[in-house]
Amino acid sequence: MGKLSVDFGMINSDNIEQLKKINQACFPVAYGDSFYRDMAKKSDENLCKFAYYSGFAIGAICTRVEPIPDDPNGRTRLYIMTLGVLAAYRNHGIGSKLVESIMEYYESEKDGKLSTVDEIMVHTQTSNTDAMKFYMDRFGFEKGDLVENYYKRIDPPHCYILRKKLR
């Protein structure tokens, strides 16, 4: 099986349990109910979405626009909160398609809704070399600062900030 053809669909209160299941299967941390309530309320389906294959949700990306701390001009960034693909569907381009969809949305709105966005960023656990390679090799992210004790209940608890300048 090579690259899979997927469709994207919005995350909402009717299907939020699917996001919970994907996240439980993909991540060593449990996200709280408030995370899922926030994702169900997101009005911009271009930033938070499922990847569907043959009608089944097999992956998801959840991204938000947030302020860049200490930026005197009030600039913002896209922050990838979660990107997960069920194990059986990995290495078929699904994660890449999800990230590409966010990048394409940025390109289409960089002079509109996303005119204040300057970068895209993600936290990646220091031991997750596959994720670092994915973001850095496929999308040109750069490894930034080490954040110690970012994660509370997993080992190692440290992460790197990976970011890509968009402007």
Side-chain angles (χ1 to χ4, degrees):
M1 211 170 23
K3 301 284 184 215
L4 296 178
S5 177
V6 295
D7 297 311
F8 297 123
M10 70 184 295
I11 296 169
N12 58 41
S13 59
D14 294 331
N15 59 22
I16 198 69
E17 289 299 319
Q18 290 178 320
L19 180 62
K20 280 185 183 180
K21 295 292 185 202
I22 289 170
N23 286 354
Q24 287 169 349
C26 293
F27 304 119
V29 295
Y31 290 87
D33 289 340
S34 63
F35 173 83
Y36 294 105
R37 275 193 302 276
D38 289 348
M39 293 308 100
K41 286 190 245 175
K42 287 272 184 227
S43 59
D44 195 338
E45 67 187 80
N46 294 294
L47 293 176
C48 297
K49 63 184 81 173
F50 286 114
Y52 288 99
Y53 177 69
S54 295
F56 295 99
I58 60 166
I61 190 167
C62 295
T63 310
R64 70 178 178 226
V65 177
E66 65 178 26
I68 296 175
D70 304 320
D71 186 282
N73 301 313
R75 304 301 291 175
T76 60
R77 64 181 168 214
L78 294 174
Y79 176 64
I80 300 172
M81 296 177 283
T82 61
L83 170 64
V85 176
L86 296 176
Y89 298 94
R90 291 182 191 150
N91 300 308
H92 297 290
I94 308 304
S96 291
K97 287 178 182 179
L98 285 162
V99 174
E100 286 165 6
S101 74
I102 300 297
M103 302 299 282
E104 288 168 6
Y105 176 60
Y106 166 77
E107 284 299 320
S108 73
E109 289 293 337
K110 68 181 179 185
D111 297 321
K113 279 202 270 190
L114 301 177
S115 63
T116 63
V117 172
D118 287 345
E119 67 182 18
I120 186 167
M121 181 194 133
V122 63
H123 288 97
T124 306
Q125 189 178 18
T126 54
S127 62
N128 194 344
T129 55
D130 287 344
M132 285 186 262
K133 185 173 172 36
F134 172 81
Y135 287 110
M136 293 165 67
D137 292 354
R138 291 204 183 127
F139 296 101
F141 281 61
E142 295 179 358
K143 189 189 311 184
D145 294 338
L146 172 70
V147 180
E148 293 189 2
N149 300 309
Y150 179 77
Y151 299 106
K152 303 298 179 227
R153 290 180 279 285
I154 59 174
D155 190 50
H158 316 306
C159 73
Y160 287 109
I161 293 173
L162 304 182
R163 64 171 39 100
K164 178 180 180 171
K165 292 288 183 196
L166 298 174
R167 306 183 185 262

